Amino acid sequence: MNTTSHSLELFQSGREELGRVLAGQQELIEQSLLTLLCGGHALIEGVPGVAKTLAVKTLARFLGLDFRRVQGTPDIMPADILGTNVFSPKTGEFVMHRGPVFTEFLLADEINRMPPRTQAALLESMEERQVTLDGQTYALSPYFTVFATQNPLEFEGTYPLPEAQLDRFLLKIRVAYPELAEERVVLERHHEVPVGHRLEDVELTPVMPQLMEAARAEVRAVQVEPALFDYLLAVVRRTREWPALTLGASPRAATSLLLVAKAYAARDGRNYLLPDDVKSAAAPVLRHRLILRPEAELEGFNTDRVVADLLAATPLPR
């Protein structure tokens, strides 16, 4: 057990600071911090009004990162996100006008309302942290992170994300309705807040960049026994032959599962991996990378239930 765990400190501070704005939503807070700890991107799914956008904006403030937001609409174009070269009459030359992707923390709100061409414009930036325009490559911040939200219930005017796009997201975070006590806190806070009060008016203590770097170093240093590599691969490979699935997890999914499992270990102040870390990471890492057979959906299955069944059917390492 690490006596001075930077990851533990990061999560304790994150829960406290984000809790000043968010009532409950502990799973959303935990998995958002895990995404940042791993240096990945996250897809947040939930019905309207459960504080998805508020959570992302608060997280950006807590991290002290430059924040930009893009609202997904059916008519948004790639240039609206990436930017474009604009001709300047004064100089007689084209000048690069940078889009909102040139930031450290990008919120793509209602990403499934963006047309496929615009969704694809984010692929290079998410995978390689760079943007190519007119043959010129521009580097993005090493902290560049995309958090995207989507509403699972709306179908009109939406474009479901293709598998290649979904695979770029490290985690898919599902946001449920708050518990009764949490929703009461929401009402009480709104009752007490003056008209015109904004998120920026809430005092938050941002995390020091050194703490995030130290916490990420702890994730990289987590030790993994050979038997746990075999266990993790057994879970991933079983998805490719599971009868309820038409598409199983890719090798990228396996590396993502390992990374997030190590982050769970670091979050708990450990420098070694346990099977429980793999189990905890399995649903958020795999749920958006698996495709159910139509007959399984008709029987009421979802990917979370399939992941639970997979874990139950996979023998633990000895």
Side-chain angles (χ1 to χ4, degrees):
M1 182 76 70
N2 291 336
T3 56
T4 58
S5 172
H6 300 289
S7 302
L8 265 176
E9 184 181 347
L10 173 68
F11 274 83
Q12 289 170 354
S13 177
R15 293 186 196 105
E16 181 178 345
E17 295 302 317
L18 272 68
R20 298 179 189 274
V21 177
L22 303 173
Q25 302 293 10
Q26 288 304 306
E27 186 173 356
L28 172 59
I29 293 173
E30 294 270 332
Q31 294 185 8
S32 296
L33 290 171
L34 282 166
T35 302
L36 271 297
L37 193 57
C38 296
H41 312 283
L43 179 65
I44 304 177
E45 183 179 85
V47 298
V50 290
K52 301 186 298 294
T53 302
L54 178 63
V56 176
K57 292 174 69 175
T58 307
L59 183 63
R61 278 197 63 205
F62 169 66
L63 297 168
L65 298 177
D66 182 38
F67 173 79
R68 301 287 295 274
R69 175 184 175 183
V70 174
Q71 178 61 50
T73 58
D75 61 347
I76 192 170
M77 301 295 291
D80 297 326
I81 295 178
L82 304 180
T84 186
N85 287 313
V86 179
F87 183 75
S88 172
K90 290 184 178 180
T91 63
E93 297 178 347
F94 283 92
V95 179
M96 171 61 177
H97 176 73
R98 299 191 170 205
V101 76
F102 288 90
T103 186
E104 293 177 320
F105 202 111
L106 178 68
L107 168 60
D109 227 348
E110 295 186 297
I111 191 173
N112 56 333
R113 288 195 172 277
M114 297 180 184
R117 185 180 176 190
T118 307
Q119 292 177 9
L122 283 170
L123 286 175
E124 180 186 13
S125 59
M126 292 173 67
E127 184 70 17
E128 303 177 43
R129 287 184 167 85
Q130 66 180 32
V131 170
T132 302
L133 288 173
D134 296 335
Q136 182 73 31
T137 299
Y138 302 88
L140 297 176
S141 166
Y143 292 101
F144 177 72
T145 301
V146 175
F147 270 58
T149 69
Q150 68 175 13
N151 176 358
L153 300 180
E154 292 187 12
F155 299 100
E156 187 174 349
T158 61
Y159 305 87
L161 275 66
E163 287 70 39
Q165 180 91 30
L166 289 169
D167 208 27
R168 298 306 198 280
F169 288 101
L170 182 69
L171 296 183
K172 180 178 179 180
I173 305 170
R174 284 194 169 138
V175 186
Y177 286 115
E179 298 293 333
L180 174 61
E182 297 168 351
E183 197 162 4
R184 182 182 176 86
V185 172
V186 172
L187 285 177
E188 290 172 348
R189 287 181 178 178
H190 275 265
H191 171 66
E192 296 168 358
V193 168
V195 175
H197 192 73
R198 300 177 303 168
L199 171 62
E200 290 75 12
D201 299 326
V202 180
E203 292 187 9
L204 293 181
T205 304
V207 66
M208 298 299 291
Q210 299 87 339
L211 179 60
M212 177 62 77
E213 290 301 320
R216 287 182 173 180
E218 288 178 348
V219 174
R220 294 192 294 270
V222 170
Q223 300 173 15
V224 184
E225 294 294 327
L228 283 169
F229 283 121
D230 296 332
Y231 173 64
L232 187 150
L233 283 174
V235 172
V236 170
R237 293 179 68 86
R238 197 177 284 261
T239 65
R240 301 168 193 169
E241 55 191 32
W242 198 256
L245 298 174
T246 59
L247 179 69
S250 67
R252 179 188 282 147
T255 59
S256 297
L257 182 56
L258 175 62
L259 177 59
V260 177
K262 290 168 66 175
Y264 269 99
R267 180 204 65 173
D268 292 341
R270 282 183 281 106
N271 63 355
Y272 55 90
L273 197 71
L274 294 175
D276 284 348
D277 299 320
V278 177
K279 290 182 176 182
S280 298
V285 171
L286 298 178
R287 61 169 54 122
H288 57 298
R289 293 178 161 100
L290 307 177
I291 296 182
L292 287 170
R293 292 187 182 278
E295 54 268 31
E297 290 188 272
L298 289 173
E299 292 174 9
F301 280 81
N302 60 26
T303 51
D304 279 14
R305 179 176 169 183
V306 169
V307 170
D309 291 344
L310 279 163
L311 292 171
T314 306
L316 290 172
R318 295 181 179 179

